[in-house]
Amino acid sequence: FGPSQIGRGGDTTVLIDCGWGATLRLYQAGLGPPGLPRVGAVFFTHLHSDHTTDFADFVVMRWLGGVDAPLPVYGPEGTANMVEGFRQALSADTRFRLAHHGEKLSPIGTACDVREIAAGDTPVEIARIGEIVVSAFAVDHRPVIPAFGFRLERGGSSIVISGDTNPCPGLINGARDADILVCDSMNVGMMEAFEESLRNAGNSLAASLLVDAHTYHASTRDAAEVAAKAGVKHLVLSHVMPAIPEEGPQVEAFTAGLSDLFPGRITVGRDLQRFTLPAA
């Protein structure tokens, strides 16, 4: 499914990105209603469709789960326009549900409190959601400008979400000494083999589009080198390109050679996987 991560600490839950299938995965993770209303805020790294298109499903299911306040949403320039577009698309549904269920549902409907953010190469605090402090930093996903990564901190523990990016100063600074770095990752050799298979199958357009993806996604080696430079403890490879099975030889192939670059723990992320850090 599409890129999306949950960060939880104490009584606080935040959602980073909301790609295709995210709401279904939240249900499968045991976070469906009444869990969805407890998501304290949503953060978007950037506005590519694979990171955003399930937001309509999320925000309406959150409302139906029972809410009494607008949803805080943080993201780059353009986030307010995107959120309003989703809400407009849902406006007939909202009207029909209020007419049917009346006072059982909050009159706020799918309302959101959107805050468009800015950040540079040095992480800057943008929100405190319950016990979780969220900082943003700029990443290099050109021509997608701006694009951000996020650092979540609570009780001395830190998790960094890279978003989509090439190696860049913002990513290294944002990931400095993090307990976990969840990083964009492409195995170049495996990706090139996949592209060739598409060409051989007569799908040259798809292959050419994937060739373009090399210009703005970190390779697995890039991710390992960034983790080493930043002093990260645990590298979780995410946004896995090309898609691979969750188990088997392709997982090992995806990480081949990375331990020579990064001495810490390396994991190829998979849907519904959970990592736990102690609170100081």
Side-chain angles (χ1 to χ4, degrees):
F1 287 76
S4 186
Q5 293 91 22
I6 278 285
R8 306 183 74 184
D11 295 328
T12 303
T13 301
V14 297
L15 180 67
I16 311 294
D17 287 335
C18 200
W20 59 69
T23 307
L24 171 61
R25 284 305 203 201
L26 288 167
Y27 274 74
Q28 293 170 338
L31 294 172
L36 291 185
R38 292 201 295 270
V39 174
V42 175
F43 296 83
F44 287 106
T45 59
H46 64 292
L47 302 185
H48 257 152
S49 59
D50 57 326
H51 292 250
T52 65
T53 51
D54 215 54
F55 183 73
D57 194 22
F58 170 80
V59 75
V60 75
M61 295 310 298
R62 173 183 178 272
W63 173 45
L64 296 179
V67 293
D68 57 11
L71 173 68
V73 178
Y74 299 79
E77 180 182 355
T79 300
N81 185 59
M82 178 191 73
V83 169
E84 184 56 29
F86 281 131
R87 294 192 65 226
Q88 285 291 330
L90 292 167
S91 60
D93 174 84
T94 303
R95 185 173 71 254
F96 296 148
R97 292 186 187 278
L98 286 170
H100 185 199
H101 300 294
E103 294 182 358
K104 295 177 183 178
L105 291 176
S106 168
I108 69 166
T110 61
C112 298
D113 178 10
V114 181
R115 304 172 198 185
E116 296 188 344
I117 63 174
D121 291 342
T122 300
V124 57
E125 182 180 321
I126 58 168
R128 288 181 179 246
I129 311 297
E131 298 180 6
I132 299 177
V133 178
V134 182
S135 298
F137 51 89
V139 296
D140 180 6
H141 195 43
R142 290 172 291 176
V144 181
I145 301 172
F148 301 112
F150 296 113
R151 184 181 181 105
L152 281 59
E153 296 177 294
R154 172 183 177 257
S157 294
S158 55
I159 301 170
V160 174
I161 311 293
S162 75
D164 291 3
T165 183
N166 280 308
C168 61
L171 179 58
I172 294 173
N173 293 337
R176 188 77 63 192
D177 299 323
D179 291 293
I180 297 175
L181 168 61
V182 181
C183 193
D184 187 23
S185 57
M186 174 193 294
N187 184 294
V188 175
M190 294 173 71
M191 192 69 169
E192 290 174 342
F194 179 53
E195 292 156 8
E196 185 61 22
S197 72
L198 289 172
R199 292 188 195 95
N200 293 337
N203 198 340
S204 58
L205 174 59
S208 68
L209 293 174
L210 291 178
V211 169
D212 292 344
H214 289 254
T215 65
Y216 63 1
H217 286 285
S219 72
T220 52
R221 294 182 65 85
D222 289 335
E225 289 174 351
V226 165
K229 289 177 182 178
V232 170
K233 298 179 179 66
H234 181 187
L235 172 62
V236 178
L237 299 172
S238 186
H239 205 303
V240 173
M241 299 177 71
I244 59 174
E246 292 184 351
E247 298 179 352
Q250 286 182 290
V251 177
E252 292 184 9
F254 196 80
T255 60
L258 300 190
S259 59
D260 296 332
L261 303 173
F262 172 64
R265 179 183 175 190
I266 301 173
T267 302
V268 179
R270 62 180 186 272
D271 282 12
L272 303 179
Q273 193 167 23
R274 300 185 185 214
F275 301 100
T276 302
L277 294 171

